[in-house]
Every structure is written in C-alpha cells, then in structure tokens.
Amino acid sequence: AGFGSTMLTIVSESVETDERGQSVGFYNSTLAFGSILGKAGGGYLLAQIAPSAMYLLLASISAVSAFGVLLLVDPTPTPDVTPTRGQIAAETKRRLLPAVDDRDHLTTNGLHWLYIAIVLRNVTNKGLGSLYPIFLIAAVGVNEFTMGLLLALSSTLRTGLMYLFGRAADAVGRKPLVVVGVLGAGIQALLMAAAVVPGQLSVRIAVAASGFVVHAVTFSALATGSIAFIGDVAPPDRESELMGLRTTSRGVGGVTGPILVGALATVTSYQTAFLAASVIPFLAAL
C-alpha cells in the first residue's frame, strides 16, 4: 500500500496535467499485467503444488522485484532536512486526523466525496472479491484452473483499458469516469448473483465472465479518473498524502466489505449477499 501511493506520486509528478491520465493509465496497465500472471498462474499451480510452496514462490518474486526501485529516478522535491521518527509519527497523526482549520485540502472540488464513494464502492467490490475463489468453485462449479482464468480475466482486459481510459481522462474529464467506475461494482454484483441461475456450466461461466468484464471496464475508469483528479487538485506538498488517503479509503472498504458480505453469505446465501451488496455502489455513485 505504501509503495503504490509513493509510485503514483512519482508518476503524477513526472508529467504535465494534460498527460497525467495517460501516464497513470500506463502505470496501472503494468499492474494489471502482473495480476494476469499471478491469478492465471496461481489457479494452475494450486492444482499442482502445495499452498505452502506457493507462498515461498510469491515471497521470492516480491524480493526480486524490489531491486527495480534501484533504477528509479524520483522527480519530487527533496526535503531540506531528514525528519526524526517522532516527527514522522506526529505528522502522520496530523494528516490522518487533521484539525478543523487544516482540512481545506480535503474538500477541494469535492475531494472528500470521492473518498467516501471509494470506501462504499470497495465495501461491495472487496466483499465480493474475497468470496470469488470459493464461490466460483463451490457455487458456479468450475475447477481450480478455470477459477484462475476467470479471476485473471479482469486484469487481462485492464492491461489495455487502463491506457485507453487514461487518454479518456485527459479528453473528457475525470468525473464521468469516476461515476461510471463506482456504478460498475453494483452491476458486477448483480451479474455474479445471476451466475448461479443457469443450468448449464458453460452458461454459468459465461455470466460470471461478463461480471469480470464489467469489473475490468469500470475499475479502469475509476482508478484512472480518481488518481488523475487527485493529482489535479492536490497541493504539491500533500500529493503523496492524498494519493495515500485513496489507498486508505480502499482499505477501509476492503476491511469492512469481506466481513459484512461474508457474514451475510454465511447466514443466507451467496446470491442474497451479492444482491444486497449491489445496492451500496449505486448509493456511492450519488
């Protein structure tokens, strides 16, 4: 989470405003490509090796990837002094819990509403996402390999869509992409609830796949639009902070969503839980 918000700040600072959306889209495309390899490969390997071996493999890949940072050129301003640990702790507290007279940067052009929408959208998205692997196997009826391919479908499409929506963010503005992106989580929830209805496995797979297609389109729109918008309105000395707050907002939804949707699925059914969760993104879009 910390790596992502820092890298997004560097990407945002590296270009002019009229090219920010395109650059953010390209950055997110590279993330999506890695997600393709992880999900498709993970589904295959889970059927071949023990989960403990999978964790060791993932740890080694992450360690190797960290060396890429050595090649990075940082265009952001270099502080005049190095803060102490106490100063970092105090500044973190101040930024997480700003005083009443130090909140103007959070409300520029309605920025605070964007964060609220992201929280609500992620309650549904992360809540459903936490159940998808077992839902696809237990309810839809696919095997582990097909599960991995379905989970990788969104990432596969996002590799190109992120770049396209980056150009769209520069051409048509940020807000339309944000609204469409938030609405998409509700549409995906409805499609996934419908995936258990058809009798034929091939049809159930097709319906579930359409849900992941919707996720790819709308996630790309939301991520590109919201990151470009934050880069537009953030003061230079608070850009990393506000990029990080976006990650925090996603995390709040990511914590509460799996608990709420998972609990509802436990006492009712996957279908009921997905239908109930679909309402939240429509409220978030408002």
Side-chain angles (χ1 to χ4, degrees), residues 140 142 146 150 153 191-192 194-195 198 200-213:
V140 178
V142 304
T146 304
L150 285 170
L153 179 57
L191 288 169
M192 299 307 285
Q200 288 186 314
L201 177 60
S202 59
V203 179
R204 294 199 299 271
I205 292 175
V207 175
S210 68
F212 287 110
V213 171

Side-chain angles (χ1 to χ4, degrees), residues 32-45 54 58 61 148 151-152 155:
F33 181 71
S35 185
I36 297 168
L37 299 179
K39 291 174 179 175
Y44 171 76
L45 290 173
M54 282 285 294
L58 293 173
I61 293 173
L151 293 176
S155 301

Side-chain angles (χ1 to χ4, degrees), residues 123 126-128 130-131 252-266:
V123 168
K126 297 300 185 182
L128 271 62
S130 67
L131 299 178
V252 171
V255 171
T256 55
I259 296 173
L260 295 175
V261 180
L264 187 57
T266 301

Side-chain angles (χ1 to χ4, degrees), residues 20-70:
R20 180 172 288 125
Q22 181 177 338
S23 295
V24 168
F26 181 75
Y27 170 80
N28 282 319
S29 291
T30 65
L31 294 183
F33 181 71
S35 185
I36 297 168
L37 299 179
K39 291 174 179 175
Y44 171 76
L45 290 173
L46 277 174
Q48 307 296 323
I49 63 176
S52 57
M54 282 285 294
Y55 287 127
L56 290 174
L57 177 62
L58 293 173
S60 63
I61 293 173
S62 296
V64 172
S65 70
F67 288 103
V69 178
L70 296 176

Side-chain angles (χ1 to χ4, degrees), residues 113-164:
W113 289 112
L114 173 63
Y115 291 128
I116 292 172
I118 291 174
V119 170
L120 293 175
R121 180 257 182 196
N122 261 31
V123 168
T124 293
N125 186 64
K126 297 300 185 182
L128 271 62
S130 67
L131 299 178
Y132 282 156
I134 191 67
F135 165 75
L136 291 171
I137 292 175
V140 178
V142 304
N143 57 33
E144 289 90 345
F145 179 63
T146 304
M147 175 203 71
L149 293 180
L150 285 170
L151 293 176
L153 179 57
S154 175
S155 301
T156 302
L157 296 175
R158 290 195 328 248
T159 303
L161 288 172
M162 284 291 190
Y163 184 75
L164 293 176

Side-chain angles (χ1 to χ4, degrees), residues 9 12-13 20 76-77 95 102-109 111 115 229-243:
T9 302
S12 181
E13 279 294 306
R20 180 172 288 125
T76 59
R95 295 191 177 207
D102 190 30
R103 298 178 183 173
D104 291 345
H105 64 290
L106 295 173
T107 58
T108 305
N109 290 63
L111 181 60
Y115 291 128
F229 178 75
I230 293 170
D232 291 342
V233 303
D237 61 337
R238 289 186 178 271
E239 191 164 1
S240 288
E241 172 191 347
L242 294 177
M243 290 291 185

Side-chain angles (χ1 to χ4, degrees), residues 188-200:
Q188 183 191 16
L190 294 175
L191 288 169
M192 299 307 285
V196 299
V197 175
Q200 288 186 314

